[in-house]
Amino acid sequence: MQILKNQTNIDFIGKRKPAIFFSTVINLIILVGIAVWGFNLGVDFAGGTVVEVKFNKDIPAADVRKRAEAGGLHDVSVQSIGAAGENSFLLRLGGVTQLTEESAAKAKESLQALGPMKSVYPDLANGIINLRSEQALTAEQIRKAVEGTGTGVEEVRELGQAQAGGFDYQIVASGMADRIRAALMMGVQEGQPDFEMRRVEYVGPQVGKQLRNRGIMALLYSMIAILIYVAFRFDFKFGPGALLAMLHDVVMVAGFYLFSRAEFGLTAIAALLTIVGYSVNDTIVIYDRIREDMAKFKGKPFAEVINIAINDTLGRTILTSGVTGLSLIGLLIFGVGEIRDFAWAMLVGIIVGTYSTIYIASPLTIWLDEREAARQARQKGRGMNEPKVA
């Protein structure tokens, strides 16, 4: 398929200086923004609870948020998913269990009111309160004492009498999904829920931190591997340009997540990894053509050779980028939540990936070539000026 019927002769390289200035400014703004505001970390990285609910009546997201806030969930995030008539929503809330520092302190005070205690130790990471009482208590007594402070109890475990004296118990706090359900039930007439909880996901803070670190390392390792490949495949002066173009594309796509406040999670890492591969693929195609044209147009300035190579591959670039972009339209139209964010990130990546090959990778290659030529000229000049030994 031929997109361009006639050979183009666009002076891409002649506009490299303003393009580099523009890219540098945008990248600096993004990096400063990341340092100041940071990403809107998703549950994958920040940890927390995600609940998908479907209502059996028409209800806007604003009303769902009001109902949740009326039930005490003031930090909940509500996102509509699917078609408008589906009335499906994703509710995100930080934390995995209802046991927090504040609720644990209230529960401890209430438990100590039951009688003399040897120890009350809340384990916030696992959502458990370990209790050792000097006198025997019933599970119902303990449950009522904790639930009276507003913390849901999933189970009270009676561990028996301790060797050091006293009676051991474990109180397992309910998950945040139960708290979300209780909040949405507030104000429901006749106690019958008008919604269905379809999916519940929990990610602990430690697991989220591990996922975040491993995702970042996967991105770094892939970029190093690509740099090594380019260094062996082409001359040294081509490698830095490919690396800088990849870094540019990663920062630009990260900027999309920064300014759109889309959730930055494992799907975002997948988008960045895909963009790294797409960017270097386009760069290598143009590098191959540059290498061919260097042999074909010996004596021409290197910048002119690169311009010819870019024009030669312009039809292929438009076709590849266009087809890839068209494949994302379906995801943008029908996708929801993280899938739609992924499609937008990919669309941004395709645009900046094509741009960076022309205005980031190629100009750096020219600069390195000019630097090498100047170094060789200096060496040659020093050799001619050295006095000949008779």
Side-chain angles (χ1 to χ4, degrees):
M1 182 177 180
Q2 189 174 356
I3 298 294
L4 302 175
K5 300 296 183 183
N6 300 314
Q7 177 66 33
T8 59
N9 188 26
I10 304 171
D11 185 15
F12 291 104
I13 298 302
K15 302 175 179 63
R16 65 183 185 274
K17 290 184 179 179
I20 291 172
F21 174 79
F22 170 78
S23 297
T24 303
V25 171
I26 297 298
N27 275 256
L28 287 175
I29 291 173
I30 292 171
L31 292 174
V32 170
I34 293 173
V36 174
W37 298 297
F39 294 111
N40 176 26
L41 296 179
V43 173
D44 292 341
F45 289 168
T49 304
V50 176
V51 177
E52 179 183 344
V53 296
K54 178 177 173 59
F55 286 83
N56 56 21
K57 63 179 182 180
D58 291 337
I59 182 170
D63 288 353
V64 177
R65 186 177 292 105
K66 287 179 181 177
R67 187 190 290 192
E69 289 176 350
L73 302 180
H74 299 289
D75 54 348
V76 68
S77 168
V78 180
Q79 178 185 356
S80 176
I81 60 174
E86 291 185 15
N87 299 305
S88 295
F89 304 89
L90 282 180
L91 281 74
R92 293 179 171 85
L93 196 65
V96 174
T97 72
Q98 297 184 27
L99 195 64
T100 63
E101 289 187 10
E102 182 180 354
S103 64
K106 292 180 180 179
K108 183 177 181 179
E109 184 178 345
S110 179
L111 289 169
Q112 288 172 338
L114 294 176
M117 300 289 169
K118 286 182 174 292
S119 65
V120 180
Y121 172 66
D123 182 358
L124 299 181
N126 296 305
I128 293 173
I129 299 176
N130 295 292
L131 170 67
R132 178 170 292 179
S133 172
E134 292 186 3
Q135 61 186 27
L137 300 171
T138 65
E140 189 62 25
Q141 280 181 296
I142 296 172
R143 179 184 293 273
K144 286 183 178 179
V146 175
E147 288 183 341
T149 63
T151 299
V153 176
E154 182 177 324
E155 180 186 2
V156 177
R157 301 169 181 169
E158 299 183 46
L159 304 180
Q161 192 168 1
Q163 292 182 351
F167 299 85
D168 288 341
Y169 303 90
Q170 271 191 345
I171 304 107
V172 182
S174 298
M176 295 301 293
D178 295 331
R179 186 180 173 194
I180 290 174
R181 177 183 176 83
L184 294 179
M185 285 291 293
M186 294 290 292
V188 176
Q189 295 180 353
E190 300 178 359
Q192 293 296 323
D194 56 352
F195 60 89
E196 173 192 359
M197 296 181 68
R198 300 183 126 187
R199 175 167 61 96
V200 178
E201 293 181 2
Y202 295 105
V203 177
Q206 290 300 322
V207 174
K209 185 178 180 180
Q210 290 178 3
L211 289 173
R212 182 173 69 248
N213 293 340
R214 290 180 180 180
I216 294 172
M217 293 308 297
L219 186 62
L220 291 176
Y221 289 153
S222 65
M223 295 177 70
I224 291 171
I226 289 172
L227 176 63
I228 294 171
Y229 165 76
V230 174
F232 278 99
R233 173 79 182 272
F234 299 97
D235 189 80
F236 168 75
K237 63 188 174 187
F238 290 96
L243 177 62
L244 192 62
M246 282 190 294
L247 290 172
H248 169 272
D249 297 345
V250 168
V251 172
M252 294 295 276
V253 176
F256 159 77
Y257 281 99
L258 174 69
F259 293 111
S260 68
R261 304 313 291 170
E263 284 197 355
F264 191 86
L266 289 176
T267 306
I269 295 294
L272 292 174
L273 286 169
T274 307
I275 291 304
V276 165
Y278 182 89
S279 173
V280 77
N281 174 69
D282 195 51
T283 302
I284 286 175
V285 168
I286 293 182
Y287 275 2
D288 265 330
R289 184 56 62 92
I290 291 172
R291 190 166 56 180
E292 293 174 8
D293 288 348
M294 285 172 65
K296 190 187 299 183
F297 301 105
K298 287 184 177 180
K300 280 184 177 292
F302 190 50
E304 189 175 341
V305 172
I306 290 181
N307 222 29
I308 293 171
I310 294 173
N311 279 278
D312 287 345
T313 56
L314 186 59
R316 179 262 175 204
T317 300
I318 294 173
L319 183 61
T320 305
S321 302
V323 171
T324 310
L326 286 173
S327 67
L328 296 172
I329 291 178
L331 294 178
L332 291 174
I333 295 174
F334 301 107
V336 296
E338 292 183 347
I339 298 299
R340 181 177 291 174
D341 294 339
F342 174 83
W344 276 116
M346 284 295 300
L347 193 59
V348 172
I350 289 170
I351 296 170
V352 299
T354 303
Y355 166 88
S356 66
T357 300
I358 298 173
Y359 289 113
I360 304 297
S362 297
L364 184 57
T365 305
I366 294 172
W367 180 77
L368 290 172
D369 181 73
E370 291 174 347
R371 188 178 178 186
E372 177 63 19
R375 186 185 66 82
Q376 292 179 359
R378 287 196 301 270
Q379 286 183 347
K380 186 177 180 181
R382 283 198 298 267
M384 293 179 63
N385 293 330
E386 287 179 358
K388 295 182 179 180
V389 179

